[in-house]
């Protein structure tokens, strides 16, 4: 056996060990059946890398199971974390999502294999989070990205995630409404992005503060499709707060505040 082969063999043996180790650290998930689907080899390798880099200590139970991704609770060296793992087997990526990537000038080169697209999609959410967080838009702090695994600040306390806007009983809905309008405006004016999937399902409420989540599909305001998306975001938020009995500002006025050139 030549030297290179020996090294390769050693490496793949080590790789197997890494995977065994990572699997042990992915403790008692409530979803045993989907474990293999989520924690396949590339994903386990990514988690191992993040452990090696001292980003994650261990991964625990599932927080949420969506079509394209799963969110897991994890522990880092400085506290609680949320791991958003994009499913490398998800067929959803082959359908609608590609169209958003194709028009985004920040991601000019698109290949069509699924793993590549899933990685790119995770990168898009990470990039959007970073751009928003750096300008003070209330989103979970992005911590790290490796392939299809995105690590961010955990919104919640002691392993219990904060309620979504949809689930929260608000002591001061008017205040939360204004916080959200400010966030939407800041996103457009200072970051240049439109969320595109904003609703009571993608906002979390913790200690009377808001956190906007699920920003993977956010698109630059310079793109023609962004205005329709922005109108829909505004409509969703206004409908929700109107139902709560909050005095709302008209859709047109909010749109004007977001887009008017001063
Ligand atoms: N940073 C976070 N901290 C705690 N829980 C989170 C966090 N991010 C997402 N979640 C939970 O995971 C769910 C799904 O996340 P989300 O990003 O909205 O993905 P999707 O809706 O595409 O499945 C959310 O509704 C929320 O309950
Ligand atoms: Mg969501």
């Amino acid at each position: 056996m030549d030297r290179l082969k020996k090294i390769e063999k050693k490496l793949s043996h080590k790789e197997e060990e890494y995977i065994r180790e990572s699997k042990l650290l992915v403790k008692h998930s409530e979803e045993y059946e989907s474990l293999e689907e989520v924690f396949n080899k590339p994903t386990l390798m990514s988690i191992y890398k993040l452990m090696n880099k001292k980003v994650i200590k261990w991964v625990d139970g599932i927080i949420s199971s969506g079509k394209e991704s799963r969110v897991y609770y994890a522990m880092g060296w400085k506290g609680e974390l949320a791991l958003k793992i994009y499913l490398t087997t998800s067929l959803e990526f082959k359908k609608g999502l590609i169209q958003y990537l194709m028009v985004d000038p920040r991601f000019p080169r698109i290949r069509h294999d699924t793993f590549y697209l899933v990685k790119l999609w995770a990168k898009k959410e990470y990039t959007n989070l970073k751009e928003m967080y750096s300008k003070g838009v209330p989103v979970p702090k992005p911590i790290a990205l490796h392939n299809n695994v995105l690590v961010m600040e955990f919104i919640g306390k002691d392993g219990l995630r904060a309620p979504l806007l949809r689930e929260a009983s608000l002591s001061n809905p008017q205040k939360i409404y204004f916080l959200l309008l400010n966030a939407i405006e800041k996103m457009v004016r200072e970051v240049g992005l439109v969320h595109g999937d904003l609703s009571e399902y993608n906002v979390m409420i913790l200690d009377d503060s808001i956190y906007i989540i699920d920003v993977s599909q956010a698109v630059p305001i310079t793109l023609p499709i962004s205005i329709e998306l922005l109108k829909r975001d505004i409509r969703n938020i206004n409908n929700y707060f109107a139902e709560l009995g909050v005095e709302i500002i008209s859709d047109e006025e909010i749109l004007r505040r977001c887009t008017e050139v001063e």
Side-chain angles (χ1 to χ4, degrees), residues 122-140:
K123 187 170 182 183
K124 187 162 178 248
E125 173 139 40
Y126 188 63
T127 308
N128 287 342
L129 272 181
K130 279 206 296 198
E131 289 177 10
M132 291 175 185
Y133 187 80
S134 70
K135 291 279 160 57
V137 176
V139 292

Side-chain angles (χ1 to χ4, degrees), residues 63-73 81-84 86 121 125 129 139-141 150-156 160-164 167 197 200-204 211-217:
I63 299 174
S64 156
S65 175
K67 278 193 300 248
E68 296 119 25
S69 64
R70 304 272 148 86
V71 178
Y72 285 83
Y73 178 74
L81 299 170
L83 243 61
K84 188 163 179 178
Y86 284 88
W121 196 251
E125 173 139 40
L129 272 181
V139 292
K141 181 182 183 185
L150 189 161
V151 186
M152 62 185 144
E153 173 189 2
F154 175 71
I155 307 303
L160 198 65
R161 73 160 174 87
L164 301 174
E167 304 159 335
D197 192 21
E200 60 275 26
Y201 294 94
N202 280 332
V203 178
M204 301 182 89
Y211 289 86
I212 294 177
I213 58 166
D214 211 356
V215 302
S216 59
Q217 68 295 307

Side-chain angles (χ1 to χ4, degrees), residues 154-157 160-163 204-211:
F154 175 71
I155 307 303
K157 266 183 203 142
L160 198 65
R161 73 160 174 87
M204 301 182 89
I205 306 285
L206 182 65
D207 296 334
D208 252 5
S209 297
I210 61 164
Y211 289 86

Side-chain angles (χ1 to χ4, degrees), residues 92-146:
E92 290 302 309
F93 281 105
K94 294 201 168 142
K95 297 190 213 146
L97 299 181
I98 299 172
Q99 69 188 23
Y100 283 104
L101 280 171
M102 301 241 267
V103 293
D104 194 325
R106 296 171 303 163
F107 300 90
R109 281 173 295 120
I110 303 271
R111 291 203 324 251
H112 280 253
D113 56 290
T114 312
F115 189 51
Y116 175 79
L117 285 173
V118 171
K119 283 198 291 190
L120 197 61
W121 196 251
K123 187 170 182 183
K124 187 162 178 248
E125 173 139 40
Y126 188 63
T127 308
N128 287 342
L129 272 181
K130 279 206 296 198
E131 289 177 10
M132 291 175 185
Y133 187 80
S134 70
K135 291 279 160 57
V137 176
V139 292
K141 181 182 183 185
I143 309 240
L145 173 78
H146 195 84

Side-chain angles (χ1 to χ4, degrees), residues 194 225-237 251 255:
V194 169
I225 54 161
S226 70
I227 292 298
E228 280 317 306
L229 294 172
L230 178 57
K231 283 184 184 165
R232 193 178 63 188
D233 285 354
I234 294 170
R235 199 179 333 121
N236 287 344
I237 296 304
D251 291 16
L255 186 67

